[in-house]
Amino acid sequence: VFLDSFIFAKEKAMKLLITGGAGFLGARLARTLLAKGELAGKRLTQVVLADQFPAPADLAADPRVEVLTGPLLDQCAGFVARRFDGVFHLASAVSGECEADFDLGMRSNLDSTRALLDALRAAGNTPRLLFSSSVAVYGPDPAHPLPDVVTDDTFTTPQTSYGSQKLMCEYMVADYSRKGYIDGRSARLMTVSVRPGKPNGAASSFFSGILREPLAGEESICPVDTTVSHPVSSPGVTVRSLIAIFEASADAFHGRSAMLLPALNVTVAQMLDALEAVAGPAVRARVKFVRDERIANIVANWPKGAKALRAPRLGLQPDANFQDVIRQYIDDCKAAGLEKTALKGL
């Protein structure tokens, strides 16, 4: 009986890898899963956070967490012997970086993903993997005009190196799954807003900056005009969606092509209207407009909106409105005890 119980417990345990696990989204995902204590019906016994940067102190202190710091490309060979049961592959160089430095994008996005998949293949235990792709896989093309609202079925013609790398990784995940090396699925993330912290190298960074900085009492520069429309998603909806897609059966995921995450389609003007409604006109007035042609040209080749067709089958829905997204950010800051710094503008 003891032996049977030991075997059952072992089968029901999960060793999980989160690449990009020290980043904003990876850390939030890790906290959510550790609080939940299980994933896909298995008890979380170990969560490995792999990132170029150190993990937040609260995660590093959890006895279930192991932190690996360094370039992902250098770490992958060591993953073979670990035989992970599940992987959330979130690590990525961001859009602006990839456009400015082609080699960086190829190394960080394409080469690292290939090395990760090869390590999982060599391990031989067919782990489940969720790859975080992007809405940037869509773009305008003379042969395939970009509709105002893209769906799961819209033809993909990315117009940035970042979007192209994400699409190539989607196909690798699909083919490694077809061959039975992994149980993979790709999720196309919307731009996540509101992100805490400081601006990063993503061309989409201002979609958080025009909210985050004014709420902190600081001026923010918007590099595009108010008519620009874009699909976004709150951190909460994004993390819930990632977990739901990971836990979905192959039949429920319905095929190997990437699934579009739920989107809230908003213009810059609507985002600022929501900011004013929640925080007042003085906070909105901290947003200044200085056009940046480089960023504006990148964003102009992104979808104006998105509609998920497959995600609702998993019970996934977008945020109700953008005011709720801003309130979620404020609540998150208060829960983390950051209201004195992140919310000075209120």
Side-chain angles (χ1 to χ4, degrees):
V1 174
F2 174 80
L3 181 60
D4 288 345
S5 299
F6 175 79
I7 293 173
F8 177 78
K10 187 175 181 181
E11 288 177 346
K12 290 294 184 179
M14 173 168 287
K15 185 187 297 184
L16 183 70
L17 169 66
I18 303 177
T19 72
F24 152 64
L25 202 59
R28 187 178 182 118
L29 173 65
R31 292 187 184 102
T32 301
L33 292 174
L34 288 165
K36 187 180 177 185
E38 60 89 25
L39 178 65
K42 296 183 178 181
R43 181 171 55 89
L44 277 178
T45 55
Q46 184 182 34
V47 178
V48 176
L49 305 180
D51 205 300
Q52 295 202 80
F53 303 99
D58 64 307
L59 290 174
D62 192 303
R64 296 167 292 177
V65 171
E66 179 182 357
V67 177
L68 300 178
T69 306
L72 180 61
L73 197 57
D74 296 341
Q75 297 176 356
C76 288
F79 294 161
V80 178
R82 289 175 176 268
R83 292 173 63 86
F84 292 109
D85 303 297
V87 179
F88 284 90
H89 181 28
L90 310 182
S92 177
V94 295
S95 53
E97 292 176 326
C98 296
E99 206 60 21
D101 188 336
F102 182 79
D103 291 326
L104 169 68
M106 293 295 285
R107 182 173 63 252
S108 299
N109 296 342
L110 191 64
D111 296 345
S112 293
T113 299
R114 168 74 188 276
L116 173 62
L117 293 174
D118 281 342
L120 299 177
R121 174 191 177 189
N125 62 324
T126 316
R128 182 168 295 184
L129 174 140
L130 186 144
F131 169 64
S132 63
S133 186
S134 169
V135 72
V137 300
Y138 301 104
D141 184 86
H144 301 279
L146 184 68
D148 285 343
V149 177
V150 299
T151 71
D152 301 73
D153 301 331
T154 300
F155 196 78
T156 48
T157 53
Q159 297 299 309
T160 61
S161 294
Y162 172 76
S164 298
Q165 291 152 12
K166 287 292 188 179
L167 184 59
M168 288 187 278
C169 290
E170 286 184 14
Y171 283 121
M172 282 199 295
V173 170
D175 202 45
Y176 278 64
S177 296
R178 182 185 66 84
K179 298 290 286 185
Y181 303 142
I182 61 170
D183 173 12
R185 57 281 311 269
S186 297
R188 291 173 182 161
L189 275 64
M190 303 299 107
T191 293
V192 179
S193 181
V194 180
R195 285 178 173 266
K198 298 179 180 180
N200 60 22
S204 60
S205 181
F206 72 90
F207 284 115
S208 287
I210 61 174
L211 309 159
R212 180 185 58 232
E213 274 69 76
L215 287 169
E218 301 172 6
E219 183 179 282
S220 177
I221 300 299
C222 182
V224 300
D225 64 54
T226 59
T227 63
V228 167
S229 179
H230 192 62
V232 301
S233 179
S234 69
V237 165
T238 301
V239 167
R240 286 194 297 273
S241 298
L242 291 174
I243 295 172
I245 292 174
F246 182 96
E247 293 186 322
S249 67
D251 287 343
F253 185 71
H254 195 64
R256 291 191 303 272
S257 63
M259 178 181 288
L260 204 62
L261 261 58
L264 178 63
N265 300 321
V266 290
T267 64
V268 169
Q270 289 169 333
M271 297 174 79
L272 296 179
D273 287 346
L275 177 64
E276 182 173 350
V278 171
V283 173
R284 177 178 180 154
R286 297 189 180 106
V287 179
K288 310 299 181 184
F289 288 83
V290 179
R291 187 173 178 85
D292 184 320
E293 290 298 336
R294 181 185 69 87
I295 293 177
N297 289 336
I298 291 174
V299 175
N301 286 317
W302 288 348
K304 296 180 175 61
K307 180 177 177 58
L309 302 179
R310 291 159 57 194
R313 302 172 190 167
L314 301 181
L316 300 175
Q317 296 295 332
D319 298 279
N321 56 71
F322 203 76
Q323 289 185 34
D324 286 350
V325 172
I326 295 173
R327 292 190 183 100
Q328 180 186 125
Y329 171 71
I330 292 172
D331 290 344
D332 287 345
C333 290
K334 291 179 178 178
L338 300 175
E339 56 265 60
K340 291 185 179 179
T341 53
L343 302 176
K344 289 189 296 185
L346 290 182

